[in-house]
């Protein structure tokens, strides 16, 4: 009965933690990171070079997901490889099927939950701590983010290893869904506050004696122009399927026309 | 303000570490060193003006608050934003004599950062393309059973890709860029249309960053209410970001409990299953 040592699992985890994307290409995105992570596992489980080579073939297939949440998959395959080496009726094809089946859904969850929610929440708080050029925000982000990710990924790896395919329940079960929805809710609120605190679009349009547009707008809803601009950009991207770069170019045109018409005036001088 | 060779080299190394796909690893490289706010601190320290660095980094951070790279397609390159854009913005702000704490400074930083970041995508595709060579060597090593070489392929050789596509561009552009500020000052007067447009664009750009994020998290119209709840907290009630996060957390807990009420009847009896998941 073969059993992977703690040391090997640790080495495998660290290889993935560091090397998941270091040798990225459009053709094989995280494949080499994956191979490096599985190498210690395979070397411990199989004695001959031929067997090792055969086992590594499984992991030569294309792999790409959100690499941080994807640690779970690496853990799962380490567990499966161990079972395979013990002759528990699992073959390379099964492992690859599980691996390929998980990377898509996990990429979706990871992109929206980690990159699209957790990072913005942390950065939002960090921005709040950066007022007046204070380094506190950046330090807060560096410490909290790295600690959360290192231990979170370690947890995901060992859960994946211990629970195998069942570990996915941790991410897609109903309770996980409820947690995810709630975290996204905080994220959406924080990003609302970030928008209100860090976007300040104002107009210089006025007809002397009759209307000063900005103060009229402020009476309706503070920061109205910022809110409208955000929704406009969102509409362009979501409903019109325009890329962020194109949206930026559209804003350049709007700014140019706005300046010409006297709608925008940053009030500059040397 | 000039950037000297040693400063440029440090920035160049940071660019190698921080890119996506960077040599600092995903978590510490791309998602830590690559974030404009963190880069603002580092660049500020390197250039000897931490305060301006952080102000510039924070301004650019808002635009890229959620830089998701689904399936390896990027709309902006973090190493270019953070280690080319931020130093140039600092030089521009100092060179033009703009007060770092003013709105003009943040607008200027936002425009420069976004422009450099967009052009920098070429560096991303460059790195990924050069890596193909190392991967080719990796397949051969695998065939030969020369497994140790896999580490070299994954973690060692990409340094060469980054020397070409991260280090050199950063060193050259930051050193050349600092003298371009003087040219800008001569040819683009502050009260001209070009400069006014440039600064106005800077004030509009953060809206794109927030919109990119909303595209991810808003799935139905009522989600906008959540967004505007946060917006209103800050805009009308003056709640700061930490306060908003706490209030958001409170509502999230309520939301979680309500959702679990819907789920619980179905999983009643599976108590141990629940306990397992408390750790998440």
């Amino acid at each position: 009965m073969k059993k992977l040592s703690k040391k090997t699992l640790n080495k495998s985890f660290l290889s993935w933690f560091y090397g998941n994307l270091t040798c990225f290409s459009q053709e094989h995105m995280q494949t080499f990171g994956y191979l490096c992570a599985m190498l210690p596992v395979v070397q411990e489980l199989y004695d001959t070079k031929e067997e090792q080579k055969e086992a590594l073939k499984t992991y030569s297939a294309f792999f790409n997901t959100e690499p941080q949440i994807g640690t779970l998959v690496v853990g799962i395959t380490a567990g499966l490889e161990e079972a395979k080496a013990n002759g528990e009726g699992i073959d390379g094809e099964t492992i690859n099927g599980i691996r390929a089946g998980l990377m898509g859904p996990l990429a979706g969850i990871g992109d929206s939950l980690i990159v699209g929610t957790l990072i913005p929440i942390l950065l939002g708080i960090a921005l709040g701590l950066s007022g007046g050029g204070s380094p506190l925000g950046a330090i807060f982000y560096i410490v909290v983010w790295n600690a959360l990710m290192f231990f979170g990924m370690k947890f995901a790896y060992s859960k994946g290893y211990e629970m195998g395919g069942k570990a996915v329940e941790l991410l897609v079960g109903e309770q996980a869904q409820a947690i995810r929805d709630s975290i996204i809710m905080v994220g959406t609120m924080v990003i609302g506050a970030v928008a209100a605190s860090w976007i300040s679009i104002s107009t210089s349009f006025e007809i002397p004696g009759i209307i000063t547009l900005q103060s009229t707008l402020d009476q309706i809803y503070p920061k109205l122009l910022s809110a409208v601009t955000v929704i406009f950009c969102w509409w362009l991207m979501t409903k019109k399927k325009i890329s962020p770069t194109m949206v930026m170019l559209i804003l350049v045109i709007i700014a140019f026309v706005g300046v010409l018409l006297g709608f925008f005036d940053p009030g500059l001088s040397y | 303000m000039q950037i000297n060779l040693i400063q440029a080299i440090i920035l160049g190394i940071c660019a190698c570490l921080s890119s996506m796909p960077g040599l600092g690893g995903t978590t510490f490289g791309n998602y830590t060193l690559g974030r404009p706010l963190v880069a603002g601190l580092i660049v500020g320290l390197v250039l000897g003006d931490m305060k301006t660095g952080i102000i510039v980094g924070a301004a650019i951070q808002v635009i890229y608050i959620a830089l998701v790279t689904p399936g390896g397609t990027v709309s902006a390159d973090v190493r270019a934003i953070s280690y080319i854009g931020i130093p140039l913005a600092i030089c521009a702000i100092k060179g033009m004599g703009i007060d770092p704490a003013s709105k003009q400074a943040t607008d200027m930083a936002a425009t420069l950062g976004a422009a450099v970041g967009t052009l920098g995508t070429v560096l991303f595709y460059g790195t990924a393309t050069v890596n193909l060579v190392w991967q080719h060597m990796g397949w051969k090593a695998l065939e030969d059973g020369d497994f140790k070489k896999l580490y070299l392929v994954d973690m060692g050789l990409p340094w060469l890709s980054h020397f070409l596509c991260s280090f050199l561009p950063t060193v050259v552009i930051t050193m050349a860029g600092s003298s371009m500020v003087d040219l800008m000052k001569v040819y683009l007067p502050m009260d001209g249309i070009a400069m006014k447009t440039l600064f106005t664009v800077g004030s509009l750009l953060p809206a794109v960053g927030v919109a990119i994020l909303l595209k991810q998290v808003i799935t139905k119209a009522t989600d906008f209410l959540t967004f505007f709840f946060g917006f209103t907290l800050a805009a009308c009630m003056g709640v700061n970001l930490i306060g908003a996060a706490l209030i958001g957390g409170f509502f999230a807990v309520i939301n979680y409990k309500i959702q679990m009420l819907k789920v619980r009847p179905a999983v009643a009896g599976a108590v141990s299953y629940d306990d397992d998941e408390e750790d998440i």
Side-chain angles (χ1 to χ4, degrees):
Chain A
M1 186 76 182
K2 289 167 182 165
K3 182 104 184 88
L4 288 165
S5 69
K6 259 218 140 59
K7 201 175 143 224
T8 305
L9 289 172
N10 217 12
K11 194 173 173 203
S12 162
F13 165 71
L14 288 176
S15 291
W16 176 255
F17 179 76
Y18 172 69
N20 51 40
L21 268 173
T22 43
C23 194
F24 171 98
S25 79
Q26 297 287 354
E27 190 191 359
H28 276 279
M29 297 179 170
Q30 293 160 3
T31 314
F32 276 88
Y34 213 111
L35 281 168
C36 283
M38 292 311 288
L39 188 56
V41 172
V42 167
Q43 280 180 327
E44 182 166 283
L45 291 174
Y46 304 98
D47 299 325
T48 70
K49 203 136 226 181
E50 288 314 305
E51 280 177 313
Q52 293 176 357
K53 209 192 273 184
E54 189 56 39
L56 279 176
K57 275 219 173 86
T58 310
Y59 307 101
S60 312
F62 173 84
F63 190 78
N64 188 48
T65 187
E66 201 291 306
Q68 297 166 119
I69 213 159
T71 313
L72 189 71
V73 188
V74 186
I76 291 172
T77 46
L80 290 174
E81 192 64 50
E82 186 185 82
K84 180 183 144 201
N86 286 323
E88 287 177 29
I90 291 170
D91 59 9
E93 214 138 296
T94 318
I95 296 180
N96 225 332
I98 291 171
R99 199 172 90 115
L102 282 175
M103 65 188 190
L106 284 190
I109 293 173
D111 281 346
S112 70
L113 199 65
I114 297 182
V115 190
T117 306
L118 180 62
I119 290 182
I121 292 175
L122 293 178
L123 281 175
I125 295 172
L127 282 170
L129 293 168
S130 302
S134 157
L136 208 61
I139 294 167
F140 164 84
Y141 177 78
I142 294 170
V143 173
V144 175
W145 161 253
N146 282 287
L148 273 179
M149 275 304 112
F150 184 79
F151 293 110
M153 285 167 76
K154 214 168 161 47
F155 177 77
Y157 187 97
S158 52
K159 276 285 164 202
Y161 171 69
E162 284 160 20
M163 297 167 68
K166 266 191 291 179
V168 181
E169 287 278 319
L170 290 173
L171 290 167
V172 295
E174 277 168 320
Q175 186 174 16
Q177 180 72 39
I179 292 173
R180 244 162 53 209
D181 283 354
S182 307
I183 294 175
I184 287 175
M185 196 173 173
V186 190
T188 314
M189 269 185 223
V190 170
I191 207 65
V194 167
S197 317
W198 284 86
I199 307 177
S200 57
I201 300 169
S202 56
T203 173
S204 55
F205 184 79
E206 58 174 351
I207 304 170
I210 301 169
I211 186 170
T212 310
L213 189 55
Q214 187 58 45
S215 60
T216 312
L217 291 176
D218 283 344
Q219 281 165 12
I220 301 170
Y221 184 68
K223 302 257 182 184
L224 185 63
L225 278 180
S226 305
V228 169
T229 313
V230 169
I231 293 182
F232 174 66
C233 295
W234 175 83
W235 178 78
L236 285 178
M237 280 185 235
T238 314
K239 303 289 171 193
K240 297 277 157 194
K241 310 277 177 219
I242 295 175
S243 75
T245 311
M246 277 310 289
V247 173
M248 286 183 180
L249 286 177
I250 291 172
L251 290 183
V252 173
I253 295 166
I254 291 174
F256 180 70
V257 174
V259 167
L260 280 182
L261 296 176
F263 190 78
F264 295 121
D265 185 356
L268 298 164
S269 60
Y270 276 117
Chain B
M1 182 181 171
Q2 287 296 323
I3 293 177
N4 65 37
L5 185 62
I6 294 169
Q7 289 169 327
I9 287 175
I10 300 175
L11 296 177
I13 293 169
C14 289
C16 297
L17 293 174
S18 69
S19 29
M20 145 57 205
L23 287 161
T26 304
T27 306
F28 185 69
N30 180 16
Y31 288 125
T32 307
L33 294 176
R35 298 303 101 179
L37 182 63
V38 176
L41 172 67
I42 294 169
V43 176
L45 287 174
V46 170
L47 299 187
D49 187 346
M50 188 189 76
K51 200 176 142 207
T52 309
I54 288 173
I55 290 171
V56 166
I60 299 177
Q61 182 65 73
V62 183
I63 309 176
Y64 296 111
I65 194 147
L67 195 61
V68 185
T69 51
T73 51
V74 299
S75 57
D77 184 81
V78 283
R79 97 201 80 177
I81 298 163
S82 291
Y83 294 99
I84 300 176
I86 292 177
L88 290 186
I90 294 175
C91 287
I93 287 164
K94 301 216 125 190
M96 293 180 169
I98 303 170
D99 173 14
S102 65
K103 187 172 173 316
Q104 278 92 331
T106 55
D107 289 352
M108 171 83 179
T111 310
L112 257 175
V116 172
T118 307
L119 295 175
T121 46
V122 67
L123 301 178
F124 165 77
Y125 291 105
T127 318
T129 307
V130 181
N131 280 345
L132 276 173
V133 180
W134 320 136
Q135 293 194 342
H136 185 78
M137 290 165 67
W139 294 126
K140 196 166 176 310
L142 201 60
E143 197 103 325
D144 300 343
D146 188 4
F147 300 139
K148 275 266 173 291
K149 221 172 170 184
L150 284 177
Y151 291 115
L152 182 72
V153 166
D154 191 51
M155 301 165 190
L157 291 170
W159 275 103
L160 294 172
S161 327
H162 280 279
F163 181 77
L164 280 178
C165 301
S166 308
F167 185 79
L168 285 181
T170 307
V171 171
V172 171
I173 297 172
T174 50
M175 285 187 73
S178 48
S179 50
M180 267 160 51
V181 175
D182 297 326
L183 285 178
M184 254 169 96
K185 230 169 138 178
V186 175
Y187 290 106
L188 298 170
M190 277 293 212
D191 47 359
I193 296 280
M195 276 315 231
K196 277 187 179 172
T197 304
L198 192 138
F199 281 88
T200 305
V201 171
S203 70
L204 297 176
L205 280 176
V208 182
V210 171
I212 292 175
L213 190 55
L214 289 182
K215 195 180 151 200
Q216 294 258 328
V217 293
I218 288 190
T219 46
K220 50 189 187 297
T222 47
D223 290 341
F224 263 116
L225 269 178
T226 319
F227 172 75
F228 275 107
F229 182 72
F231 193 95
T232 306
L233 284 178
C236 303
M237 302 166 76
V239 176
N240 71 17
L241 288 164
I242 298 164
L246 281 175
I247 296 171
F250 175 74
F251 278 96
V253 170
I254 295 176
N255 179 59
Y256 171 74
K257 296 213 157 143
I258 294 172
Q259 290 222 9
M260 286 316 286
L261 279 182
K262 282 190 286 184
V263 174
R264 274 265 148 69
V267 294
V271 182
S272 62
Y273 166 85
D274 282 339
D275 285 346
D276 278 343
E277 294 196 347
E278 293 296 334
D279 302 328
I280 300 180

